[in-house]
């Protein structure tokens, strides 16, 4: 397999030269200096590495960068627009929905994907959708509140 | 050094002159001290294991008014960067935005033993309060001298010294002109009582929260250095295994890979993480292993190897004796151990996630045979610890590799390494025996803890002549600190046992506890939680049960009430509702304190219900999240936390205590629902058979 030389990330075409088998997570972090996406387990079990690929949340630790092609990647660094935070980023702040915050990027990316698909999720729907994301500090109740807060604030995250 | 004045213990005679529009900020305690001071490198960083007395080691004010505070504490999610900033803002007083905390950097911050034991709030906060108060009084003195007015006519407010009579004010930075305030931290500079707090005591949001929701914050694992490569260590096949043979030829032949082999330490350094993983997989190593204790033998082994283990001695017809056990559990911080090491000549800089920056520096010095003065350890705000990051394994490994290959090296442990090669919370066996009168007064109490620890051993009840003992034993797994440590195990045993006594005596478990508790702070949290929970007020639904526990840890009083739901068909136990009342003196930041309570309840639920490190013959059997279940969204009950603020009492630390009540409360609730008494943590790793 030839090396990956181009990735579409956060609205920009980014040049790289990465072995196609390398995880997308490592290419984002080490080659493109987008370290907001975190390594938590490397096994697809914790969700800390969640990014959006054409709007769909994926575990970047288990996604070979060669599988992305022309699809558009969104990372935590790409959520704010012109210095304005995404409604869910604001809601995480307002609800104090973090402690060590190492899970926060992955939580927000999963939450953004949920709100795009389901603008007014019920508690049960949030729990089901977010259950693959681990917060070891146990801030789940606040994250749930933040997602509901963002849904209400933006009429479904459509900011 | 003491003066009769409550304000200024330093000697103002040496206060130097004013000139131009500003002041030269140079005054001295005495000549000898002045000379010592001028010879120090900033009064920070070096030195032994003591708190430096010099104010400038803790606080500096730049010409633009920025107040920089230096503390060796590490931010791991407790939000102490925020609460300590509030303390300083309150006491100076200065705007929050003008205050910057430098934390956990051995080159810049005063020595600190580490961030554990819930000591930041009861110990570092008062220290910084004194620091800020000393600075304020010094600034008042400077302004008084500059304006030739009596210092009592001056007021410090919002980063300025104000002379109301003449409508003059001057910013802190204008007074210091960026020079250090050369005074010692004073014990007698007046500080504000909690009852007068305006900034401390409020629910200020995480002060650098924006950096975290945007991904801008660089954890240790996010640090990159020019020319940096990635390391990976080859782990032995089992604990205590020794290397018999190594064939590294395939790995060594890979372009962009270097193999490092120093005795039993075998590792690779490679251009990318991926390449390092491939190179590790290409190593062929043969290990000699030795037989070791496995999990099924654990509790007998702990008893057999315990020191000073007597038979339980409480004796009476009414004696209740039971044995309780707790399993080993893993901290599993979401950011695994990580470090970046860089050498410049014989000087070493390491960025790592740790609760003990200075402890890691000592470890590095010993492992690498370098003096501590040549080593700088920097701990960026860290992806949690929970007592699991007291050690510097990754830092030492990264430093060895960086030295071996002559370039900066990043080493991030895999999840499997974190589960296997870190350390675990001690497992334990607890024997309890007690006697009580028919109307519910405990008359004898004996508590023996084997291996798990002495924290929370003594019952915080009015039990006459209670006998409690901790018996250290030989642990087959490497064990260490954990949030609240043995207080969880000892409270689980005690509060379960009390529930058993109450049931045996046909007394309400809450009433039974209250009969044996005089301490008003204890009674207050129980009363508050019982009321909010509706204890004995709501009719029990089928297959629902309620339980409670009281606890005392690190000076914080805790009442935890839980309701569980049992699905008899599947054996699933769900904790549906938790009410917790907590009183830890004056509350510094209610929102962050509640966050700690909520988080501790969730984390504690994992250990209560299903977390256990499985092991056999020197190997961990479940070193992945797929095999080691931690609480997720779907495990989270509705949590209601009541904080009983006591501004009349000193603040106790609160990161740990809130975890100790959930396991017994849930176990007692399961009994309430089913009549099944569970005496081992985790309670229901495979569901409940009823």
């Amino acid at each position: 397999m030839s090396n990956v030389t181009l990735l579409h990330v956060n609205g920009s075409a980014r040049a790289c030269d990465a072995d196609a088998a390398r995880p997308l997570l490592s290419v984002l972090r080490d080659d493109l200096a987008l370290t907001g996406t975190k390594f938590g387990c490397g096994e697809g079990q914790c969700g800390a590495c969640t990014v959006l690929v054409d709007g769909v949340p994926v575990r970047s630790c288990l996604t070979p960068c060669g599988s992305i092609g022309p699809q558009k990647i969104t990372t935590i660094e790409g959520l704010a627009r012109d210095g304005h935070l995404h409604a869910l980023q604001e809601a995480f702040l307002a609800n104090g929905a973090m402690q060590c915050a190492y899970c926060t990027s992955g939580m927000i990316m999963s939450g953004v994907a949920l709100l795009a698909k389901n603008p007014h999720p019920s508690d049960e729907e949030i729990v089901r959708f977010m259950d693959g994301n681990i917060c070891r500090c146990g801030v789940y109740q606040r994250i749930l509140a933040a997602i509901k807060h963002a849904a209400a604030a933006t009429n479904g995250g459509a900011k | 050094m003491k003066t009769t004045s409550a304000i200024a213990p330093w000697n103002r005679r040496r206060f130097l002159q004013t000139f131009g529009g500003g002041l030269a900020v140079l005054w001295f305690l005495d000549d000898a001290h002045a000379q010592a001071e001028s010879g120090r490198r900033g009064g920070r960083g070096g030195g032994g294991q003591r708190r430096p007395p010099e104010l400038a080691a803790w606080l500096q004010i730049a010409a633009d008014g920025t107040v920089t505070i230096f503390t060796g504490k590490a931010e791991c999610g407790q939000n102490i960067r925020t609460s300590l900033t509030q303390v300083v803002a309150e006491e100076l007083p200065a705007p929050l935005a003008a205050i910057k905390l430098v934390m956990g950097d051995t080159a810049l911050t005063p020595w600190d033993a580490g961030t554990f034991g819930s000591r930041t709030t009861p110990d570092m906060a008062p220290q910084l309060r004194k620091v800020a108060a000393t600075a304020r009084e010094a600034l008042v003195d400077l302004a008084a001298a500059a304006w030739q007015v009596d210092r009592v006519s001056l007021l410090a407010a919002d980063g300025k010294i104000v002379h109301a009579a003449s409508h003059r004010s001057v910013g802190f930075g204008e007074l210091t002109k960026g020079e250090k305030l050369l005074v010692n931290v004073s014990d007698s500079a007046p500080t504000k009582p909690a009852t007068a707090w305006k900034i401390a005591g409020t629910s200020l949001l995480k002060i650098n929260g924006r950096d975290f929701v945007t991904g801008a914050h660089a954890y240790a694992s996010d640090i990159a250095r020019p020319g940096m490569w990635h390391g990976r260590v080859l782990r032995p096949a089992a604990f205590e295994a020794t290397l018999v043979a190594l064939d590294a030829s395939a790995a060594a032949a890979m372009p962009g890979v270097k193999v490092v082999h120093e005795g039993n330490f075998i590792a690779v350094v490679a251009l990318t993480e991926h390449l390092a993983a491939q190179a590790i997989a290409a190593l062929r190593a043969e290990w000699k292993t030795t037989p070791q204790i496995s999990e099924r033998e654990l509790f007998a082994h702990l008893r057999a190897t315990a020191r000073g283990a007597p038979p339980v001695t409480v004796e009476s017809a009414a004696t209740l004796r039971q044995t309780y056990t707790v399993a080993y559990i893993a901290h599993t911080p979401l950011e695994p151990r990580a470090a970046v090491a860089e050498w410049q000549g014989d000087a070493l800089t390491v960025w790592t996630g740790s609760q003990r920056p200075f402890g890691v520096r000592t470890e590095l010095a010993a492992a690498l045979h370098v003096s501590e003065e040549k080593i700088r350890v920097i701990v960026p705000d860290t992806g949690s610890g929970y007592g699991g990051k007291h050690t510097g394994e990754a830092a030492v490994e990264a430093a060895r590799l960086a030295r071996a290959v002559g370039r900066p090296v990043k080493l991030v442990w895999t999840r499997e390494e974190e589960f296997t090669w870190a350390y675990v919370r001690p497992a334990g066996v607890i024997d309890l025996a007690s006697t009580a009168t028919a109307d519910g007064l405990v008359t004898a109490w004996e508590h023996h803890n084997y291996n798990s620890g002495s924290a929370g051993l003594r019952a915080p009840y009015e039990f006459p002549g209670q006998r409690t003992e901790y018996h250290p034993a030989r642990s087959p797994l490497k064990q260490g600190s954990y949030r609240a440590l043995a207080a969880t195990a000892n409270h689980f045993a005690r509060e379960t046992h009390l529930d058993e006594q109450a049931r045996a005596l046909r007394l309400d478990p809450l009433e039974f506890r209250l009969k044996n508790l005089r301490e008003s702070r204890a009674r207050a949290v129980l009363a508050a939680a019982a009321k909010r929970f509706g204890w004995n007020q709501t009719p029990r639904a089928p297959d629902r049960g309620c339980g409670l526990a009281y606890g005392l840890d690190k000076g914080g009083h805790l009442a935890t009430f839980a309701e569980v739901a049992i699905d008899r068909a599947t054996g699933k136990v769900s904790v549906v509702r938790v009410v917790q009342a907590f009183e830890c003196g004056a509350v510094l930041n209610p929102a962050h304190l509640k966050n700690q309570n909520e988080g501790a309840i969730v984390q504690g639920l994992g250990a209560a219900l299903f977390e256990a490190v499985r092991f056999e013959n020197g190997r961990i059997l479940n070193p992945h999240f797929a095999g080691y279940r931690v609480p997720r969204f779907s495990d989270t009950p509705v949590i209601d936390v009541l904080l009983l603020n006591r501004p009349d009492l000193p603040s106790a630390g609160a990161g740990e205590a809130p975890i100790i009540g959930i396991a017994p409360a849930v176990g007692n609730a399961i009994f309430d629902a089913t009549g099944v008494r569970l005496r081992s943590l985790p309670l229901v790793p495979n569901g409940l058979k009823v």
Side-chain angles (χ1 to χ4, degrees):
Chain A
M1 211 188 232
S2 60
N3 275 12
V4 172
T5 54
L6 189 72
L7 287 171
H8 296 274
V9 188
N10 298 334
S12 304
R14 300 287 302 268
C16 56
D17 185 16
D19 182 334
R22 280 177 61 200
L24 176 61
L25 174 65
S26 149
V27 178
L28 290 170
R29 289 175 52 80
D30 297 329
D31 298 14
L32 303 181
L34 294 169
T35 55
T37 308
K38 304 302 181 196
F39 170 86
C41 68
E43 298 160 355
Q45 294 284 330
C46 78
C49 67
T50 305
V51 300
L52 306 185
V53 174
D54 279 352
V56 176
V58 304
R59 302 292 187 244
S60 64
C61 72
L62 293 182
T63 306
C65 67
S67 71
I68 300 295
Q71 298 178 96
K72 308 279 188 287
I73 303 162
T74 308
T75 71
I76 189 75
E77 291 92 343
L79 281 188
R81 290 268 180 279
D82 309 320
H84 296 289
L85 297 183
H86 185 282
L88 191 55
Q89 291 173 304
E90 293 283 9
F92 265 65
L93 288 176
N95 287 272
M98 68 197 92
Q99 285 183 20
C100 85
Y102 195 77
C103 73
T104 301
S105 299
M107 287 287 180
I108 290 177
M109 297 316 290
S110 291
V112 165
L114 166 62
L115 291 175
K117 206 172 97 170
N118 180 356
H120 295 288
S122 66
D123 285 11
E124 292 71 26
E125 287 168 332
I126 295 172
V127 167
R128 207 176 310 129
F129 193 90
M130 300 293 292
D131 219 28
N133 286 71
I134 292 173
C135 170
R136 198 57 183 129
C137 300
V139 187
Y140 297 119
Q141 185 165 280
R142 286 159 184 260
I143 295 171
L144 190 140
I147 292 172
K148 292 171 77 167
H149 179 132
T154 64
N155 197 21
K159 187 174 179 175
Chain B
M1 278 311 302
K2 279 249 179 214
T3 67
T4 48
S5 155
I7 292 169
W10 54 84
N11 186 337
R12 288 191 207 117
R13 282 177 299 140
R14 298 303 303 262
F15 178 72
L16 296 191
Q17 77 274 32
T18 66
F19 56 90
L23 296 162
V25 185
L26 293 167
W27 74 69
F28 307 115
L29 290 165
D30 53 53
D31 292 340
H33 182 78
Q35 276 168 19
E37 178 66 34
S38 64
R40 296 173 75 91
R41 42 188 178 97
R44 291 198 309 272
Q49 302 194 346
R50 63 178 184 97
R51 282 194 171 158
E54 301 87 357
L55 178 69
W58 301 92
L59 175 147
Q60 291 175 15
I61 302 173
D64 68 357
T66 301
V67 179
T68 305
I69 299 292
F70 303 90
T71 170
K73 294 294 176 200
E75 171 65 69
C76 306
Q78 330 87 303
N79 288 322
I80 58 174
R81 182 181 289 283
T82 304
S83 59
L84 292 176
T85 300
Q86 288 174 273
V87 165
V88 173
E90 180 74 61
E91 201 60 56
L92 267 171
L96 286 160
I99 298 164
K100 187 174 145 255
L101 253 67
V102 174
M103 302 178 73
D105 182 332
T106 62
L108 299 179
T109 63
W111 179 85
D112 187 83
T115 309
F116 51 79
S118 295
R119 298 303 302 156
T120 300
T121 295
D123 188 41
M124 184 52 68
Q127 168 68 11
L128 294 185
R129 198 171 284 131
K130 280 195 294 184
V131 162
T134 304
R136 180 194 61 233
E137 297 305 317
L139 292 162
V140 167
D141 282 341
L142 282 175
W147 291 330
Q148 296 292 304
V149 297
D150 188 341
R151 70 187 311 285
V152 300
S153 66
L154 299 177
L155 195 74
D158 206 31
K160 297 185 190 73
I161 303 295
V162 180
H163 187 239
S166 63
H167 304 288
R168 280 183 293 185
S169 73
V170 58
F172 292 168
E174 293 172 80
L175 283 168
T176 66
K177 289 205 161 295
E179 298 291 326
K180 289 168 185 168
L181 293 165
L182 298 182
V183 293
N184 277 0
V185 178
S186 163
D187 286 326
S188 54
T191 56
K192 276 182 212 168
T195 45
W197 288 348
K198 297 282 189 293
I199 306 168
T202 66
S203 289
L204 180 70
L205 295 172
K206 191 178 179 82
I207 206 148
N208 53 344
R210 193 183 166 103
D211 291 345
F212 293 92
V213 301
T214 57
H217 171 69
Y219 295 85
S221 48
D222 299 329
I223 301 290
R225 303 292 300 167
M228 182 181 82
W229 281 23
H230 299 262
R232 191 84 174 254
V233 177
L234 181 70
R235 302 296 171 185
F239 301 130
E240 313 295 338
T242 50
L243 185 69
V244 175
L246 174 71
D247 176 3
S249 54
M254 295 168 75
V257 172
K258 286 184 179 175
V259 176
V260 177
H261 184 185
E262 298 169 358
N264 251 8
F265 180 69
I266 304 156
V268 299
V269 181
L271 197 51
T272 66
E273 244 177 353
H274 188 60
L275 199 53
Q278 288 177 321
I280 278 285
L283 293 172
R284 295 283 166 264
E286 197 185 316
W287 301 94
K288 182 173 177 291
T289 59
T290 50
Q292 290 171 58
I293 298 295
S294 298
E295 60 185 11
R296 63 186 165 278
E297 310 153 276
L298 175 65
F299 296 126
H301 172 80
L302 293 179
R303 276 190 194 278
T305 61
R307 277 185 272 137
V312 171
T313 53
V314 173
E315 278 184 34
S316 150
T319 291
L320 177 68
R321 300 159 185 277
Q322 284 299 347
T323 295
Y324 307 83
T325 63
V326 301
Y328 289 114
I329 58 171
H331 310 77
T332 62
L334 205 56
E335 183 188 27
R337 281 165 166 68
V340 173
E342 178 173 285
W343 291 85
Q344 282 182 328
D346 61 349
L348 171 66
T349 302
V350 178
W351 292 260
T352 191
S354 173
Q355 297 173 243
R356 293 175 65 243
F358 290 86
V360 172
R361 184 177 69 173
T362 303
E363 271 186 63
L364 284 164
L368 298 155
H369 308 292
V370 177
S371 91
E372 292 199 12
E373 280 122 54
K374 294 278 187 188
I375 301 172
R376 179 179 185 184
V377 175
I378 302 170
V379 174
D381 292 11
T382 290
S384 77
Y386 321 117
K389 286 181 180 166
H390 285 208
T391 46
E393 297 91 341
V396 169
E397 290 163 356
R400 283 178 87 162
L401 294 178
R403 184 155 71 179
V405 302
R407 57 167 69 240
V409 169
K410 176 186 286 193
L411 183 73
V412 179
W413 278 22
T414 63
R415 183 52 56 187
E416 183 171 350
E417 287 178 295
E418 183 66 40
F419 268 115
T420 309
W421 297 98
Y423 55 84
V424 294
R425 182 198 73 177
V429 180
I430 295 169
D431 289 331
L432 273 178
S434 67
T435 305
T437 61
D439 61 350
L441 279 177
V442 172
T443 52
W445 185 265
E446 187 159 349
H447 181 150
H448 293 271
N449 179 310
Y450 301 92
N451 188 63
S452 87
S454 59
L457 192 60
R458 195 169 171 78
Y461 291 90
E462 313 290 331
F463 298 161
Q466 57 171 296
R467 183 173 171 200
T468 60
E469 272 184 61
Y470 161 50
H471 310 284
R474 276 216 302 278
S475 169
L477 299 188
K478 188 168 142 196
Q479 60 185 23
S481 188
Y482 188 98
R483 192 177 202 176
L485 203 51
T488 293
N490 287 323
H491 278 83
F492 167 67
R494 179 165 53 243
E495 291 296 312
T496 306
H497 191 82
L498 285 172
D499 205 69
E500 294 183 66
Q501 271 287 17
R503 301 279 176 173
L505 297 166
R506 299 185 179 281
L507 290 171
D508 175 82
L510 174 60
E511 253 177 67
F512 177 55
R513 284 173 174 80
L514 290 171
K515 272 180 190 281
N516 291 280
L517 266 177
R518 278 207 292 274
E519 168 63 52
S520 62
R521 296 172 71 183
R523 297 178 69 89
V525 289
L526 279 165
K531 186 173 175 212
R532 179 68 68 94
F533 188 82
W535 181 254
N536 277 346
Q537 281 165 18
T538 39
R540 250 1 98 70
D543 297 327
R544 291 274 178 132
C546 297
L548 76 105
Y550 162 71
L552 173 65
D553 185 47
K554 315 278 189 320
H557 294 265
L558 184 80
T560 308
F561 287 62
E563 181 174 354
V564 300
I566 314 290
D567 182 335
R568 287 179 186 262
T570 63
K572 187 175 192 289
V573 175
S574 306
V575 179
V576 293
R577 186 164 72 99
V578 176
V579 171
Q580 187 161 280
F582 188 46
E583 191 264 277
C584 58
V587 176
L588 259 183
N589 184 313
H592 294 317
L593 178 55
K594 268 194 177 184
N595 202 344
Q596 286 298 311
N597 277 262
E598 293 167 14
I601 288 166
V602 172
Q603 188 161 50
L605 264 183
L609 294 175
F610 38 69
E611 282 183 41
V613 173
R614 314 275 320 272
F615 61 102
E616 189 173 289
N617 204 19
R619 290 178 177 84
I620 301 298
L621 301 176
N622 57 342
H624 303 278
F625 281 128
Y628 185 97
R629 181 177 166 197
V630 299
R632 292 178 181 268
F633 276 93
S634 53
D635 298 307
T636 305
V638 174
I639 301 171
D640 190 357
V641 174
L642 300 159
L643 299 179
L644 278 54
N645 189 21
R646 287 289 301 270
D648 55 316
L649 294 173
S651 307
E656 301 182 86
I659 202 170
I660 63 175
I662 187 68
V666 167
N668 294 340
I670 290 173
F671 179 84
D672 187 49
T674 65
V676 176
R677 179 60 70 184
L678 300 170
R679 300 187 183 89
S680 295
L681 295 184
L683 297 165
V684 287
N686 304 304
L688 184 69
K689 290 178 193 79
V690 277

